[in-house]
Each structure stands twice: as structure tokens, then as C-alpha cells.
Amino acid sequence: MPEESRTLDIEGLELAIAKQDAKAFLSASEELHYADLASVFENLDDDERAFFTSNISLDLFPKILAELPDTLIEETLERFDTEAQQNILSQLLDDDRADILQDVGSQARQRYLAMLKPDEQETTRSLMRYDEDTAGGRMTTNAAKIKIGTSVKGALDILREYIDSAESLARIYVVDEEGRLKGKIRLRELAFSDRETPVEQIMQEIDISILATADQEDAAQIFAKYDMTLLPVVDEYDRLLGIITHDDVLEILEEESTEDIEKMSGIAGEQSEETYLNTSIYTHFKRRFPWLLVLALLAISSGYVMLRFEHVLSSIFLLALYLPMVVAAGGNTGGQAAAMVIRAMSLGELESGSTWKVFLKELALGALLGIVLGICIALITTFILPAFAPKIPSNISLANFALAVAVALAAQITTSTLSGALLPIGARAIKLDPAVVAAPAITTLVDISGMVIYFTAARTILSL
């Protein structure tokens, strides 16, 4: 659907809701994707949501429910009677149902589980055993599978049962009597093979799968690295439990990138599924305030450093001109190094034994950056600064002053680059998210170190 047409349909739906026109609402809702309907629902007030849930098709609403933020799940389900709730929960895909039930309160969860059929209960409980951020928490159990020893004809007959329930028929998995994964077949290979051929003769070996307990980010990396269509999820005995699909991976990548961006920006707490405008001010406040307080307290240390070196600054106040530049250069280079290392870690490019290689690489790079930038600033100080007639004590030459600034800048950039690269690796070693130590934390730390380096270099070289 063209974007302009979609926008008009959304406006038509919103107008129908505003006018409480049930017929126009149903007509407009049938033209829109369920993700658009979920976005509209999220932005409605309480009365408008009541109208929405009273008039929406129960065949369509399960898909809408799966797209809603976790904070709206329970209150939205409670707008329906018990029969409608049972209908909605039964129509949900098993992985969506498990995610939704993990988002509601414990009492509601037990009540909703009791509404499900025994087989639905068993599947849902098995998925809820895994954390939401694991491969098992992301997978769907609706994988097309056939047993080894089955003929092509028998396999096609079995697949007819999967037409409505299977998440995808792009890959059909072959398992043994114990459910252990043995191979995979493409549907086209079944379609064009002799009907009496055993499936094991045309199946391909499974070379890539993932444990249900693995982190969801590992699943996304495997998916991207090996250009996969579906990723089979197995237990420790290699029994097929389910599959992860491309739409699951897109959601994982969105969540992980959002989480990293928020942590690198000093935003704490659990990631909100609500849109920015629908997230309450209090929620924004409690996620931002803790880091801001910590960073504010750390920043006081910068002031303490200036107090300790007050005599150096008062001896040659021109040092104040270069102080922001030296400090900022450290924050910038440290942030760059942290971003590159965190990216490499998230893509699986850095193993646990890569620390020494990272150290040597960033040491060389930091030193090169520092020396070149130091020389540039020294040249500017020597040849351009005199045009502004700066006041310098008679016992200090401009060349020595330029040397002090250049040495401090080179040292600051080198140490900051190393800090930015090694802190994320250290965080991972102690089981912390590397993004936590990025941007704000690194910037604050190198601000302090930068002042110490700058004033120490000035005091030593200029004999202050």
C-alpha cells in the first residue's frame, strides 16, 4: 500500500473513532495492517479504546494485541468478556501468546492459562520457561517437521496438516524418533522428487542451529552472518524445539540497538515498549535521573582537580584557553574507541582472548592520533596565537608553552583511546553490558584524567 494511501486510511479510521461510527470503523480497519491499527490504538484515550475494542473484529484483534506495548496488554484484554478473551488467546501464535502472558500480572496469567486448551497450555508453559531475551523466548514451536524414514509422498501428506499452523514452509526439518534434528529439506525439493524416495536421501545436513538458552543477540548474529531464512532452535540433546524467523530477528535487532543507544546515553532501567510521546514523564524521569546524579557527583571531581592545580592555572592563565580542548578531545576519542569496540563485540568479532590485540591496536592508533593532533595544535599556538597578543610570563617561552599543550593533548588522546576501548571489554568480563560504560561514563572519567594530565604536563614542562 502506498504511504499516502495508508495515511488517508489511518485518518479515516481516526475520524470514524472520533464520530463513534462503527460501520465506517470496521470498513477502515479492514484496509489497514494490524501494526498500524496497534499504533492507532496506543494513541487513543480510554473512551476511544473502549469503542475500538467493542467494534473490532475478533479475528483481527489477536494480531493487534501482539503489537501493543507490554504496559497495555492486560488492561486491553480486560476490556473483553471471558469468551472473547479465550478466543483471542487461542488465535495468537504460540510465541506471541507466551510473550503476552509474561507481560501480565501473575493472577491474570494463571487465569488466562486456564482458558487455553490442554495442548495450548503445554506449548505456552514450555515457551515461558525461557527468558524473553533468549532464543527459546523468541522462537515459535510451529515448525514444519517430518520423521526420518518418511517417503516424499508421506512427507507431502504430513505437510498438508501444517498449511495453516506452520510459521513457514521454506524449510522442512527432519527429526528422528526422539525428536533430534537430523536435516532439512526445501519444499521445492519435495515437490520435484520421486514420491517413493525416503526423505533422508534428499535432505541436507544441519550445520547451524542455536540452543534455546542462548542470548537472542547471538541468534540475530547467526541469522545475519549466514544469511539464513529460518534458524532452528534445539535443546542440549539436539532435539528440535522451534524456529526463529526473519521477523523475530528484526524485532531483536531493534530492541538490542535501542537498548545500546539508551545505555550509551546514560538512560537506565527497563526499555519501554511504548512510543516516546505515550511514555509518562515519571517513567522518563526515573530512567534518566540515576545516571545524571552519578555523573554530576563524578563531575565534582573535575572541580576538585582544578582546585588542586589552582596555583598552576593562576601562574599562567592562558592555560584556561586550551583546557576545554584537551578535555573534550579525550571524551571524543574515548567515545569513538568505545563505539568501535562495542560494535565489534555485538557483531561477534571480538572473542574473550582479543584483549591484548585490542590494546596494541588502540595504543598505536591513540598515539598516532595524539601526536598528529598535538603537532597541529603546537603549530597553531606558535604561529597563530601571537596575533592575539596573549599574556605569557616572561620566563616562559611560547615554544615551551606550545610543547606543554601538545604533550598534554597527545597523552590525553592516547590514554582516553585506550580507556574507551578497554572499559567495554572489562565490563563484559564482569558480566555487565558494555554499553553501560560508554559515552557518559567514559566522557566523565576522561574529563577528570584530562585535567590531571594537562596540569601535570604544564607544571612539569613549564616548571610552575
Side-chain angles (χ1 to χ4, degrees):
M1 178 187 295
E3 182 66 21
E4 184 178 348
S5 176
R6 187 180 68 86
T7 301
L8 290 174
D9 286 335
I10 291 175
E11 290 175 353
L13 181 75
E14 292 172 339
L15 182 61
I17 294 172
K19 292 182 176 181
Q20 303 282 289
D21 187 338
K23 185 177 180 181
F25 170 78
L26 276 175
S27 177
S29 65
E30 290 173 357
E31 299 297 324
L32 285 168
H33 191 274
Y34 55 84
D36 292 322
L37 292 171
S39 296
V40 171
F41 182 85
E42 186 181 351
N43 293 321
L44 300 177
D45 61 30
D46 193 64
D47 291 337
E48 290 172 334
R49 286 176 182 173
F51 173 80
F52 189 109
T53 52
S54 297
N55 292 280
I56 194 70
S57 166
L58 288 183
D59 291 331
L60 178 59
F61 194 75
K63 293 182 178 180
I64 299 173
L65 185 68
E67 297 293 323
L68 293 180
D70 52 8
T71 53
L72 292 180
I73 296 295
E74 186 172 346
E75 74 166 70
T76 302
L77 273 173
E78 291 303 313
R79 295 177 182 275
F80 297 92
D81 58 32
T82 303
E83 183 179 351
Q85 289 174 350
Q86 184 176 16
N87 188 353
I88 291 168
L89 291 169
S90 294
Q91 289 187 66
L92 286 165
L93 296 174
D94 52 15
D95 54 333
D96 288 336
R97 187 191 305 121
D99 290 340
I100 283 171
L101 293 186
Q102 286 176 322
D103 291 333
V104 302
S106 56
Q107 292 184 348
R109 184 182 306 121
Q110 296 305 317
R111 182 158 48 84
Y112 295 151
L113 279 169
M115 297 178 185
L116 301 175
K117 298 174 184 177
D119 59 327
E120 293 173 342
Q121 280 193 34
E122 182 181 355
T123 300
T124 304
R125 290 183 187 277
S126 67
L127 288 173
M128 289 172 63
R129 289 189 292 119
Y130 301 104
D131 292 336
E132 287 186 83
D133 58 355
T134 62
R138 282 292 183 180
M139 71 181 179
T140 174
T141 58
N142 294 327
K145 55 187 177 182
I146 52 179
K147 289 184 179 179
I148 201 165
T150 306
S151 66
V152 169
K153 180 179 182 301
L156 290 171
D157 291 337
I158 292 171
L159 290 180
R160 291 188 179 93
E161 302 174 9
Y162 284 104
I163 289 177
D164 294 325
S165 61
E167 184 79 10
S168 173
L169 292 177
R171 297 291 184 273
I172 296 95
Y173 294 98
V174 181
V175 298
D176 63 15
E177 292 296 331
E178 285 75 38
R180 289 176 297 201
L181 188 57
K182 293 298 180 182
K184 62 182 178 182
I185 305 174
R186 297 180 182 182
L187 184 58
R188 67 188 182 196
E189 291 165 347
L190 283 176
F192 294 105
S193 295
D194 184 272
R195 293 296 185 263
E196 301 305 319
T197 303
V199 292
E200 56 266 31
Q201 290 187 15
I202 59 173
M203 74 179 186
Q204 302 171 12
E205 289 187 3
I206 295 288
D207 48 0
I208 302 170
S209 61
I210 190 168
L211 281 172
T213 53
D215 189 273
Q216 64 177 7
E217 196 169 3
D218 295 337
Q221 290 174 5
I222 291 173
F223 219 95
K225 182 175 182 178
Y226 298 104
D227 195 23
M228 303 190 72
T229 303
L230 301 170
L231 177 60
V233 181
V234 298
D235 64 11
E236 60 271 24
Y237 300 107
D238 209 30
R239 291 178 296 205
L240 180 65
L241 300 177
I243 54 172
I244 292 177
T245 61
H246 68 280
D247 56 320
D248 296 322
V249 171
L250 289 175
E251 290 179 4
I252 292 170
L253 292 174
E254 181 182 358
E255 288 180 11
E256 294 292 338
S257 61
T258 301
E259 180 184 22
D260 288 346
I261 289 170
E262 289 182 346
K263 287 183 176 178
M264 291 174 72
S265 303
I267 299 176
E270 187 176 349
Q271 184 183 142
S272 175
E273 292 186 5
E274 292 185 287
T275 61
Y276 166 77
L277 291 176
N278 286 317
T279 303
S280 69
I281 291 176
Y282 173 69
T283 300
H284 281 302
F285 171 81
K286 71 179 183 180
R287 296 190 67 205
R288 297 185 192 185
F289 179 76
W291 259 116
L292 290 175
L293 178 61
V294 170
L295 295 175
L297 294 175
L298 284 174
I300 295 175
S301 302
S302 300
Y304 176 75
V305 172
M306 290 193 70
L307 286 176
R308 294 286 295 176
F309 287 94
E310 182 182 5
H311 65 287
V312 176
L313 189 59
S314 60
S315 298
I316 176 169
F317 196 70
L318 187 61
L319 288 169
L321 177 65
Y322 290 88
L323 177 59
M325 179 271 297
V326 172
V327 169
N332 293 335
T333 56
Q336 287 178 341
M340 295 301 294
V341 170
I342 289 172
R343 178 185 179 276
M345 291 168 68
S346 66
L347 294 177
E349 296 174 359
L350 295 182
E351 302 298 332
S352 56
S354 303
T355 304
W356 184 244
K357 292 181 180 178
V358 173
F359 175 85
L360 293 177
K361 186 181 186 71
E362 293 298 329
L363 176 62
L365 180 58
L368 180 61
L369 289 169
I371 291 170
V372 173
L373 283 171
I375 291 173
C376 291
I377 295 300
L379 292 174
I380 291 171
T381 302
T382 303
F383 296 105
I384 298 179
L385 187 62
F388 297 92
K391 294 181 179 180
I392 301 178
S394 58
N395 62 327
I396 296 176
S397 68
L398 190 59
N400 278 347
F401 179 82
L403 176 63
V405 174
V407 169
L409 182 60
Q412 165 73 337
I413 289 176
T414 303
T415 57
S416 298
T417 301
L418 278 176
S419 299
L422 297 180
L423 280 174
I425 296 176
R428 183 175 67 174
I430 59 174
K431 309 300 182 184
L432 282 179
D433 191 323
V436 172
V437 300
I442 288 176
T443 300
T444 303
L445 291 174
V446 299
D447 282 356
I448 299 170
S449 67
M451 288 188 180
V452 173
I453 291 170
Y454 183 57
F455 287 123
T456 301
R459 183 176 62 184
T460 303
I461 295 173
L462 303 178
S463 301
L464 298 175

